[in-house]
Amino acid sequence: SLPMLFFARMVAGFGSANIGTAHAIIADSTDHNTRAKGMGIIGAAFGLGFIVGPLLGAVFGQWGLALPAFVAAALSTANWFFAAFMLPETYPLKLRLQGKGLRTSQFVPLSFGALAHAARHTNVAQLFLIYLLYPLAFSMMEQSLGLFIEHTWLLNILTLTGEMRARQAAAMTGYYLIIVGIVATIIQGGLIGRLVAKFGERRLLVSGLALVSVSLALIPYAGILGIFSVML
């Protein structure tokens, strides 16, 4: 049902808190000179996920549109076991409390007050805003892309039934996201450390966001051109 679909997406959204935690683990495990490279490795892992994930979705989607969801659930469960039993803690509670001058009984969990306190640090409030707006924009593209591809390249192909059209749209979306993943893996896994050393973190942040803005604005024009090279 549609309410169950919305509920599933909401729970998955809560689970996305692991992304910020992964960045924190990298920050704990690196110093100032290697932190950008460490964050780039996370980006490369995301890029590989964008390559393999859409490929699996496109393949398993040919046997049923629900099957990729079950495959993703199985992979997430395996990931949970790995994190629960094999990933060591990089910032123990004792160190967290010592850094704040607190005893265990005084420990304060995450709250809006804690976020407001963090926002008073230099650049943190601005980064909060960037981290809010960038995933919002990118997620809008991700969630609407399959519908956009179906409407632009497949809607007028009368030989395709509704389910066949959905499967073809899933495969074409997979092709697109594979390209995204390849580019992300090359940039973040192989070049980010060198680029940070040459241009600095702030310049890369500004230029990267500008490129994302331009590329998202160009997607509708790709639809106007009416060309999808994989189909040729």
Side-chain angles (χ1 to χ4, degrees):
S1 65
L2 189 61
M4 177 59 73
L5 180 62
F6 286 164
F7 176 75
R9 291 298 298 164
M10 181 180 69
V11 174
F14 282 122
S16 294
N18 65 344
I19 298 173
T21 307
H23 282 87
I25 289 176
I26 292 295
D28 292 340
S29 306
T30 56
D31 56 27
H32 177 74
N33 295 324
T34 59
R35 190 156 297 145
K37 184 177 180 180
M39 297 298 177
I41 292 175
I42 284 190
F46 267 89
L48 291 173
F50 263 103
I51 296 172
V52 179
L55 177 62
L56 293 177
V59 170
F60 287 108
Q62 306 310 307
W63 280 277
L65 297 179
L67 185 57
F70 289 107
V71 174
L75 291 173
S76 295
T77 302
N79 199 22
W80 180 86
F81 275 102
F82 180 83
F85 299 108
M86 300 184 65
L87 182 66
E89 175 61 66
T90 57
Y91 195 20
L93 177 61
K94 182 178 180 181
L95 293 179
R96 281 179 272 164
L97 298 179
Q98 288 177 352
K100 297 180 180 180
L102 299 174
R103 298 188 303 273
T104 303
S105 60
Q106 296 176 298
F107 179 67
V108 179
L110 179 65
S111 64
F112 287 108
L115 289 175
H117 175 74
R120 288 196 290 268
H121 290 75
T122 304
N123 292 333
V124 172
Q126 293 90 331
L127 288 174
F128 278 174
L129 182 61
I130 291 172
Y131 260 86
L132 171 66
L133 296 180
Y134 173 76
L136 178 64
F138 200 81
S139 296
M140 289 174 64
M141 180 276 292
E142 285 183 295
Q143 303 308 318
S144 61
L145 181 63
L147 298 174
F148 174 74
I149 287 176
E150 181 181 10
H151 182 273
T152 303
W153 284 283
L154 299 174
L155 196 61
N156 295 323
I157 302 179
L158 300 180
T159 57
L160 294 177
T161 65
E163 184 174 352
M164 291 173 60
R165 187 180 295 115
R167 291 183 179 181
Q168 182 66 20
M172 294 168 68
T173 304
Y175 297 143
Y176 175 88
L177 294 178
I178 287 171
I179 297 300
V180 174
I182 291 173
V183 175
T185 302
I186 293 173
I187 298 297
Q188 300 190 57
L191 298 178
I192 194 69
R194 301 174 187 176
L195 293 174
V196 166
K198 185 173 182 178
F199 298 106
E201 295 172 349
R202 186 181 183 280
R203 285 185 178 179
L204 284 187
L205 179 64
V206 172
S207 59
L209 291 173
L211 288 173
V212 170
S213 300
V214 172
S215 64
L216 291 178
L218 288 176
I219 290 177
Y221 290 97
I224 293 173
L225 293 174
I227 300 172
F228 198 99
S229 60
V230 176
M231 294 188 65
L232 299 181

